[in-house]
Amino acid sequence: MAGSIATRAAYGAALIELAETHPELVVLDADLAQAVTTCKFAEKYPDRHFDMGIAECNMTGIAAGLATCGKHPFTNTFAIFATGRAWEQVRNSIAYPGLPVTVVGSHGGLSVGEDGATHQCTEDLNNMRVIPGMTVVVPCDGNETRYATEALLNLNAPSYLRLCRMAVDNVTDEIPGYKFELGKGFTMRDGGDATIIACGLMVQEALKAAGMLAAEGISARVIDMHTIKPLDEELVVKAAQETGVIVTSEEHNVIGGLGAAVCECLSLRCPVPVVRHGVEDCFGRSGAAKKVLAAYGLTAEVLADKVRYALTLKKS
């Protein structure tokens, strides 16, 4: 999959492809089929698509009911509603009984852009990560989204898939040996001085930052940690042992997301300095997506600065 595509668009295409061989797949929307790109699935499989209106809690409960009847529902709405408004239903109706429902939070992070702080969800990874038994995935590009959608469809357990609104460059199909596996991060670029662990669209920025640092003689490893939970602890610990310092990068609050998961792992298994790069515990604001990301420091340039700072903390 060459070029650029929003992960929400790649997801919509993946649903149509997978429906042909997975009759258990059904799709539920909360009046946002056009925005979350499930509208084409609705056209091709009208008997397997259900528009629940602006009733996210009801949609989640119905998905749970369908799951008890042998279906694998994918619920779709914006991340702020999927993990905020319907959190209790996700916890009690889906996760508590361990039902195979994939909750899809589209338009996650600051890159929602003009919709502003009310819709720029930077708390969703935390909200979903704390639910027992919940798998949490944040694909970085269209190619990875296709693999993630299939993997979660085949997972007989509750899961959360976070998607973004803006188009992002496809990078995983350019990496030799790339392989997607739930619960396993992938090393996109090797390096020995520091490690950047990123998810979502920050993977692309991490690769750019590593390139900038290489020009200065700094060798930065880049890990695509698409699965936030279960975290690939072995890969994290290996990176900490080999490079001595970690920088995490995510389009999410620095509290409760990828950075928190990495810190929790390393504090017990391999204590090294960890610098978290993300949204600094504040709300977003309205603006063009790339300008908003830049305003909050979610760029390769700022990430490179975080790595330089992290190196000053590295144990000799």
Side-chain angles (χ1 to χ4, degrees):
M1 184 181 290
S4 299
I5 186 173
T7 55
R8 60 175 175 140
Y11 160 74
L15 286 179
I16 294 173
E17 177 187 345
L18 293 167
E20 297 179 8
T21 54
H22 291 79
E24 74 278 14
L25 170 61
V26 294
V27 175
L28 287 75
D29 275 300
D31 198 39
L32 287 170
Q34 192 72 36
V36 303
T37 74
T38 53
C39 50
K40 293 182 180 178
F41 179 94
E43 293 174 2
K44 187 165 184 179
Y45 298 99
D47 59 334
R48 295 164 65 181
H49 177 268
F50 307 93
D51 192 333
M52 310 310 300
I54 305 174
E56 295 85 358
C57 300
N58 186 44
M59 174 179 68
T60 304
I62 291 173
L66 287 167
T68 67
C69 300
K71 302 299 183 182
H72 187 127
F74 278 66
T75 66
N76 297 272
T77 185
F78 292 168
I80 188 66
F81 305 132
T83 68
R85 184 176 296 170
W87 188 86
E88 179 188 349
Q89 285 72 27
V90 173
R91 178 190 186 273
N92 290 338
S93 298
I94 293 174
Y96 181 46
L99 296 174
V101 177
T102 299
V103 177
V104 182
S106 186
H107 294 57
L110 296 178
S111 56
V112 175
E114 290 86 351
D115 287 357
T118 58
H119 285 55
Q120 291 167 343
C121 188
T122 58
E123 306 88 3
D124 54 324
L125 302 184
N126 172 77
N127 292 355
M128 293 293 100
R129 195 167 71 89
V130 297
I131 297 177
M134 180 68 70
T135 294
V136 180
V137 178
V138 189
C140 72
D141 64 9
N143 186 51
E144 191 163 80
T145 300
R146 165 62 180 77
Y147 289 120
T149 303
E150 182 175 20
L152 294 177
L153 176 57
N154 291 325
L155 181 70
N156 192 36
S159 59
Y160 176 64
L161 177 64
R162 188 209 226 197
L163 305 174
C164 71
R165 179 184 192 179
M166 65 180 283
V168 291
D169 291 339
N170 279 302
V171 291
T172 56
D173 54 356
E174 299 177 355
I175 304 297
Y178 170 80
K179 179 182 178 182
F180 179 90
E181 184 179 351
L182 284 177
K184 298 292 182 183
F186 187 83
T187 302
M188 304 283 280
R189 177 174 178 145
D190 203 6
D193 295 328
T195 298
I196 304 171
I197 302 177
C199 65
L201 57 76
M202 294 312 298
V203 171
Q204 286 86 334
E205 297 305 305
L207 290 169
K208 294 175 187 175
M212 296 175 187
L213 293 165
E216 304 170 19
I218 299 172
S219 174
R221 184 177 306 183
V222 176
I223 293 175
D224 169 17
M225 194 62 73
H226 49 70
T227 305
I228 310 301
K229 183 186 178 183
L231 185 72
D232 189 348
E233 293 196 0
E234 298 308 318
L235 186 60
V236 172
V237 170
K238 182 174 184 288
Q241 292 172 336
E242 293 178 353
T243 68
V245 68
I246 303 290
V247 178
T248 62
S249 186
E250 59 195 310
E251 191 193 0
H252 185 271
N253 196 325
V254 291
I255 298 172
L258 173 63
V262 169
C263 286
E264 290 161 10
C265 167
L266 293 178
S267 65
L268 178 65
R269 299 190 57 184
C270 183
V272 299
V274 178
V275 175
R276 292 171 296 167
H277 176 235
V279 181
E280 295 291 340
D281 196 26
C282 59
F283 290 107
R285 52 180 158 165
S286 180
K290 290 185 178 180
K291 289 184 178 180
V292 174
L293 292 171
Y296 286 81
L298 298 186
T299 64
E301 290 77 11
V302 174
L303 178 51
D305 284 339
K306 293 285 186 180
V307 175
R308 296 183 188 100
Y309 170 67
L311 289 172
T312 69
L313 307 175
K314 189 173 179 178
K315 299 175 184 178
S316 58

